[in-house]
Amino acid sequence: MEQAISFTEENYLKTIYSLARQDKGKIANLSIAEKLHINPATVTEMLKKLNEKNLIDYNRIDGAALTPQGEALALKVIRKHRLWETFLVNRLSFTWDEVHEIAEQLEHIQSDKLIRQLDKLLGFPKFDPHGDPIPDKNGQLPQSQTFPLVSVEEPGTMVKLVGVANHTTAFLQYLDKIKLSLNDKIEVKEIHEFDHSMGIRIANRTAIMISSEVARNLLVSNQ
Amino acid sequence: MEQAISFTEENYLKTIYSLARQDKGKIANLSIAEKLHINPATVTEMLKKLNEKNLIDYNRIDGAALTPQGEALALKVIRKHRLWETFLVNRLSFTWDEVHEIAEQLEHIQSDKLIRQLDKLLGFPKFDPHGDPIPDKNGQLPQSQTFPLVSVEEPGTMVKLVGVANHTTAFLQYLDKIKLSLNDKIEVKEIHEFDHSMGIRIANRTAIMISSEVARNLLVSNQ
DNA sequence: TTTAAGTTCCAGGCAAACCTAATGATCATT
DNA sequence: AATGATCATTAGGTTTGCCTGGAACTTAAA
Ligand SMILES: [Mn+2]
Ligand SMILES: [Mn+2]
Ligand SMILES: [Mn+2]
Ligand SMILES: [Mn+2]
């Protein structure tokens, strides 16, 4: 019984998935409502419906949690989103701050062959233009141990930028302005106790200052 | 006042456009209903709404006709549909019988830059994989004087296949089976008075027989 | 010209996805 | 333990896009 799933339902599943990844605790209806810019009352109705369809387990006490089928669907939508973002940047000359909105539309296109062929065209990429991991066709996420730059304690540490935790146009354009791109080497020169701002050197260029807020949103890996 | 347009509305406009191209007379509500597989009563409601939005002129006597804005929108959707079909065939190894359904979804994606860049990636194609003309960014259709093969009267006439009037999987796969592709040269060898079936030679290969029904759906040009 | 067939329209309904306002439940403080 | 504050749910509505059934037109045939 192949039950149809709507754009709206897919967006709920994706939201629940990402809230579960970051918050680790109970998923509040209110946080779903805020993320989707809708009313909490609407969320309650939809969660009941998704529960009925066995895509989530839901009750007032424990909140919402994806079932295996729900998680598989969420990962499929995320896979499509990130593959399309990669396509837009790598093949259609989009910049990384322009692609999210369009991918929000493209992620709902239904065609298994389309995803498969797109993946192949792009050379089976493991990460999207923001450094986010792309689930493979079985929903498996590539491993990568990243941490926010702000957590670096030792001046002199060398790291590599592998992702961003903030996808807003404002932040991405700021990174463009300071000429910081994915895979750039970053050397932490100094850490100011006072506001935890940092002096960093990008790709051996002149050192610059960044706020702790910026450092919090830069995901890096060792080496 | 940039009023939003829904998928459904776009599909009505596209349908009205294509009915206007082929029928030349009044567009019956019933024919819209049949093409979209919906109830005639629903069509009446939507036509009133589109009239209200100034996308069509509509009244009971004259039926529906696109306004300039309505036609521009219809052409934009058609442009997207045909560009996406071209992308799927030329870049993602789809066959020409597989692409229509997916393009029905992709044609509704909203992003001017996306269309522009896709067009560029594909080398500004003038015709899609079925030989249908692709409107340019100003809604201008490339000219081509085509006629159905069935209208050829003289045996010995040489023509070139430039399009198909029937897009069903069954027909397209039949063409694949007889190894007839777009741009192939076709020589009409014989025309049977009785049922108007034809003996034709494709690309100088062995001659074969085709029914008048097939010949009616092959769009050709001279030379 | 009357009848029949075809087409369009109206009235009334339904489901999906949203809303507001008000009520219930839970949690944190005092 | 009482009191607010916060969060979730219920009840009642709206809009969009669809439906059915029947009435009203229009067109063509008898
Ligand atoms: Mn994104
Ligand atoms: Mn991304
Ligand atoms: Mn098509
Ligand atoms: Mn086509």
Side-chain angles (χ1 to χ4, degrees):
Chain A
M1 201 189 311
E2 183 68 19
Q3 60 187 344
I5 187 156
S6 68
F7 284 27
T8 304
E9 289 168 331
E10 287 191 338
N11 284 334
Y12 272 85
L13 294 179
K14 209 177 45 147
T15 302
I16 293 165
Y17 180 90
S18 83
L19 287 174
R21 276 333 98 204
Q22 59 185 88
D23 286 349
K24 302 285 180 190
K26 176 190 164 182
I27 293 167
N29 289 22
L30 194 63
S31 55
I32 298 174
E34 277 163 3
K35 238 190 164 183
L36 294 175
H37 305 109
I38 56 182
N39 193 285
T42 309
V43 173
T44 301
E45 286 166 13
M46 181 57 92
L47 294 186
K48 280 183 190 167
K49 190 176 150 195
L50 292 174
N51 186 67
E52 214 52 49
K53 285 188 166 192
N54 281 310
L55 295 171
I56 64 173
D57 290 322
Y58 176 65
N59 63 61
R60 190 175 192 147
I61 293 143
D62 306 314
L66 294 171
T67 61
Q69 310 112 79
E71 178 167 299
L73 266 172
L75 282 164
K76 189 169 179 177
V77 176
I78 290 167
R79 171 169 161 77
K80 288 191 277 186
H81 183 103
R82 294 180 180 167
L83 281 174
W84 279 116
E85 285 190 343
T86 305
F87 171 72
L88 293 173
V89 168
N90 290 7
R91 302 297 166 129
L92 296 189
S93 311
F94 278 78
T95 53
W96 66 350
D97 57 301
E98 296 175 318
V99 296
H100 183 78
E101 288 310 310
I102 305 175
E104 284 292 313
Q105 300 178 59
L106 287 164
E107 72 190 5
H108 301 294
I109 303 291
Q110 305 282 0
S111 165
D112 287 343
K113 180 166 183 179
L114 176 57
I115 315 170
R116 223 166 39 235
Q117 294 296 95
L118 190 63
D119 196 15
K120 189 177 174 186
L121 175 76
L122 299 170
F124 307 103
K126 293 218 178 323
F127 299 93
D128 83 0
H130 310 105
D132 295 312
I134 301 175
D136 70 16
K137 62 181 175 302
N138 304 311
Q140 224 57 44
L141 283 162
Q143 286 312 321
S144 70
Q145 51 286 42
T146 73
F147 46 95
L149 180 60
V150 78
S151 69
V152 171
E153 303 281 353
E154 289 293 312
T157 307
M158 288 285 287
V159 294
K160 190 174 77 166
L161 182 68
V162 294
V164 290
N166 179 317
H167 292 189
T168 62
T169 302
F171 183 64
L172 297 175
Q173 289 186 353
Y174 165 77
L175 298 185
D176 287 343
K177 192 176 296 177
I178 66 172
K179 294 204 173 56
L180 176 53
S181 314
L182 231 48
N183 296 313
D184 278 351
K185 288 215 161 53
I186 298 175
E187 182 182 358
V188 177
K189 302 293 285 182
E190 39 181 8
I191 302 167
H192 301 289
E193 289 273 336
F194 172 60
D195 61 354
H196 221 282
S197 64
M198 286 176 156
I200 63 171
R201 200 155 70 162
I202 301 163
N204 290 320
R205 298 195 304 263
T206 316
I208 59 165
M209 297 298 307
I210 60 171
S211 70
S212 65
E213 183 56 24
V214 166
R216 208 185 320 284
N217 285 302
L218 296 176
L219 302 177
V220 299
S221 70
N222 286 313
Q223 195 198 87
Chain B
M1 202 190 310
E2 182 70 19
Q3 62 189 341
I5 187 156
S6 67
F7 284 26
T8 304
E9 289 168 332
E10 287 191 338
N11 284 333
Y12 271 87
L13 294 179
K14 207 176 47 148
T15 302
I16 294 165
Y17 180 90
S18 84
L19 287 174
R21 276 333 98 204
Q22 59 185 85
D23 286 352
K24 303 285 180 191
K26 176 191 164 182
I27 293 168
N29 289 22
L30 195 63
S31 54
I32 298 175
E34 278 164 2
K35 239 190 165 186
L36 294 175
H37 305 108
I38 55 179
N39 194 285
T42 309
V43 173
T44 302
E45 286 166 15
M46 181 57 91
L47 294 186
K48 280 184 190 166
K49 191 177 149 195
L50 291 173
N51 185 69
E52 214 53 47
K53 285 188 165 191
N54 282 311
L55 295 171
I56 65 173
D57 290 322
Y58 176 66
N59 62 60
R60 192 178 190 141
I61 293 141
D62 306 314
L66 294 172
T67 61
Q69 311 112 80
E71 177 166 300
L73 266 173
L75 282 164
K76 189 168 179 179
V77 176
I78 290 167
R79 169 169 162 77
K80 288 191 276 186
H81 182 104
R82 294 178 180 169
L83 282 175
W84 279 116
E85 286 190 343
T86 306
F87 171 71
L88 292 173
V89 168
N90 291 7
R91 301 298 166 126
L92 295 190
S93 312
F94 278 78
T95 54
W96 65 350
D97 57 302
E98 296 174 319
V99 295
H100 182 77
E101 288 310 310
I102 304 175
E104 284 294 311
Q105 300 178 58
L106 287 164
E107 72 189 6
H108 301 294
I109 302 291
Q110 305 282 0
S111 165
D112 287 342
K113 179 165 183 181
L114 176 56
I115 314 170
R116 223 166 40 236
Q117 294 296 96
L118 191 63
D119 197 15
K120 188 176 174 188
L121 176 75
L122 299 170
F124 307 103
K126 293 216 177 331
F127 299 92
D128 83 2
H130 311 105
D132 295 313
I134 300 175
D136 70 16
K137 61 181 176 301
N138 303 312
Q140 224 57 44
L141 283 163
Q143 285 313 319
S144 70
Q145 51 286 40
T146 73
F147 47 94
L149 180 62
V150 77
S151 70
V152 171
E153 303 280 352
E154 290 294 312
T157 308
M158 287 286 287
V159 295
K160 189 175 78 165
L161 181 69
V162 293
V164 290
N166 179 316
H167 292 189
T168 61
T169 302
F171 184 63
L172 297 175
Q173 290 186 351
Y174 166 78
L175 297 186
D176 286 343
K177 192 175 298 179
I178 66 173
K179 296 202 171 56
L180 176 53
S181 314
L182 232 48
N183 296 314
D184 277 351
K185 287 215 160 55
I186 298 174
E187 182 183 358
V188 176
K189 301 294 286 185
E190 39 181 9
I191 301 167
H192 301 288
E193 289 273 337
F194 172 59
D195 61 354
H196 221 282
S197 63
M198 286 177 158
I200 63 170
R201 201 155 69 163
I202 302 163
N204 289 320
R205 297 197 302 265
T206 316
I208 59 164
M209 296 298 308
I210 60 169
S211 70
S212 65
E213 182 56 23
V214 167
R216 206 186 323 282
N217 285 301
L218 296 176
L219 302 177
V220 298
S221 70
N222 286 312
Q223 198 195 87

